[in-house]
Amino acid sequence: MHKLLLSLAVLLLGFGLQAQQSKPSISFEEEIYDFGEVKEDGGTVTHTFTFSNEGGQPLIVHNVRASCGCTSPDWTRQPIQPGKKGFIKVTFDPRNRPGNFNKSAIVSTNGTEPTKVLRITGKVLPKEKTLEDIYPREMGPIRLKTSHLSLTRIAPEEVKTEELEFINSSDSEVAIDFEGVPSHLNVSVDPEVVAPGKKGVITAVYDAGVKSDWGFVVDQIYLKINGESNRRNRLSVSATIEEDFSAWTDEQIANAPVLDVDNRVFDFGELKQGEKVSHNFVITNSGKSNLVLRKVRASCGCTAIQPDKMVIAPGESTNVVAEFNSRGMSGRQNKSVTIYSNDPKKSTMLLRLTGTVVK
């Protein structure tokens, strides 16, 4: 009896092994390929992974999915018979991808291992930058790194300087002057006359005390090149004027004003195109000293009426009325009112009006 059971077990095991071996089975010669160093501007690179079907039934590659759009796979589409070979071709595009890379291609089959992961690695050597790459913004005979001078954050009474490099890309000398410069800006160029192929620097000195504003502000100035005016030759100068509370002591913070609002978001639901809706935001000072509203600014499509008082004593409140005009608008709307204040923890507060405009 025991011999009979043992024989049956061996027989079943043999059938199991035979069934396992009869299934398709994918086996790659290599699963990782290192391209080494490739040039960013050298075009695409390709590697072909070769595999065999070591099973007893036809192998089908259902899909090959790349880890990102920079790898483009191709593969053997027809069934691979037992003992025969197939391929997975992976192409990598190094454009705009300097540095090391490690990408994968996930292979899905009907084999004993339904998923296999192939990898390509390497290092993309950055291309040599052209004049257009370094100075992408063209203004007549000169090229600039940007047409935007950003002063980032600046205190209300601070004077800050920012520089912008340019190059004379023409074959003649270039003289630069400026138009439309506001009183809080002092803009100069060095040298005043730039030789062909030479660099220059535009320097902007920003006086926030003279500007006397709050929050994100932008000014436009214009370059006058070789005595000629052209409104296309425009530079934007931006700054975010905010108080700096980083040096305040714990005692100062404890005795500071606190700006509270009854509701930061007002949902007006549905509104017919052309109608207006308004909402009253109640601002309360729950702190221990006077709350000063520096500025109230509304986004496009929304109007904020200045509050009755800009200085709010502890425990007192004021109203900020915001009006939304739906004329010419449709669909979902999100408009905002920004309040700048001397609350050290909420010096910038955003209030929102939201809803849907229907025709």
Side-chain angles (χ1 to χ4, degrees), residues 154 156-160 184-185 205-212:
I154 184 170
E157 300 297 327
E158 185 180 356
V159 176
K160 198 171 182 179
H184 61 277
L185 273 173
V205 181
Y206 196 104
D207 191 332
V210 176
K211 178 65 174 178
S212 189

Side-chain angles (χ1 to χ4, degrees), residues 70-129:
C70 54
T71 49
S72 176
D74 188 17
W75 64 91
T76 303
R77 305 286 175 164
Q78 67 271 20
I80 299 95
Q81 298 301 318
K84 300 299 182 180
K85 294 181 180 291
F87 71 89
I88 306 291
K89 185 183 292 184
V90 180
T91 300
F92 175 74
D93 188 348
R95 286 180 301 173
N96 304 317
R97 294 183 176 92
N100 296 323
F101 65 90
N102 186 336
K103 305 298 180 183
S104 63
I106 302 172
V107 183
S108 301
T109 73
N110 67 333
T112 54
E113 290 183 82
T115 301
K116 298 285 283 187
V117 178
L118 306 176
R119 290 195 173 277
I120 56 170
T121 63
K123 182 179 182 179
V124 177
L125 302 177
K127 67 178 181 179
E128 185 176 346
K129 291 186 176 180

Side-chain angles (χ1 to χ4, degrees), residues 267-279:
D267 190 338
F268 56 78
E270 283 193 355
L271 195 68
K272 286 188 177 181
Q273 190 178 65
E275 293 182 343
K276 297 179 181 179
V277 65
S278 64
H279 179 70

Side-chain angles (χ1 to χ4, degrees), residues 262-263 265-266 277-282 320-324 353:
D262 59 340
N263 189 357
V265 180
F266 171 66
V277 65
S278 64
H279 179 70
N280 178 42
F281 293 98
V282 180
V320 174
V321 179
E323 182 180 87
F324 170 68
L353 287 85

Side-chain angles (χ1 to χ4, degrees), residues 82-240:
K84 300 299 182 180
K85 294 181 180 291
F87 71 89
I88 306 291
K89 185 183 292 184
V90 180
T91 300
F92 175 74
D93 188 348
R95 286 180 301 173
N96 304 317
R97 294 183 176 92
N100 296 323
F101 65 90
N102 186 336
K103 305 298 180 183
S104 63
I106 302 172
V107 183
S108 301
T109 73
N110 67 333
T112 54
E113 290 183 82
T115 301
K116 298 285 283 187
V117 178
L118 306 176
R119 290 195 173 277
I120 56 170
T121 63
K123 182 179 182 179
V124 177
L125 302 177
K127 67 178 181 179
E128 185 176 346
K129 291 186 176 180
T130 65
L131 188 69
E132 289 75 17
D133 293 328
I134 302 171
Y135 302 94
R137 184 69 173 89
E138 184 178 18
M139 291 188 185
I142 69 170
R143 301 190 71 94
L144 305 91
K145 289 189 172 181
T146 178
S147 59
H148 180 204
L149 277 163
S150 175
L151 279 296
T152 61
R153 291 187 176 183
I154 184 170
E157 300 297 327
E158 185 180 356
V159 176
K160 198 171 182 179
T161 301
E162 187 67 30
E163 294 182 343
L164 174 61
E165 187 178 278
F166 68 93
I167 190 168
N168 178 2
S169 56
S170 72
D171 55 5
S172 303
E173 290 185 339
V174 171
I176 297 176
D177 201 356
F178 303 94
E179 296 180 309
V181 180
S183 59
H184 61 277
L185 273 173
N186 188 315
V187 187
S188 60
V189 61
D190 182 35
E192 293 182 357
V193 178
V194 185
K198 297 299 182 180
K199 300 176 184 177
V201 175
I202 295 171
T203 301
V205 181
Y206 196 104
D207 191 332
V210 176
K211 178 65 174 178
S212 189
D213 205 341
W214 298 90
F216 182 75
V217 287
V218 181
D219 295 286
Q220 310 291 344
I221 61 175
Y222 300 90
L223 273 65
K224 194 174 181 180
I225 301 177
N226 293 331
E228 295 184 7
S229 300
N230 188 335
R231 303 301 280 184
R232 294 181 179 177
N233 298 337
R234 180 179 64 190
L235 284 180
S236 299
V237 184
S238 69
T240 300

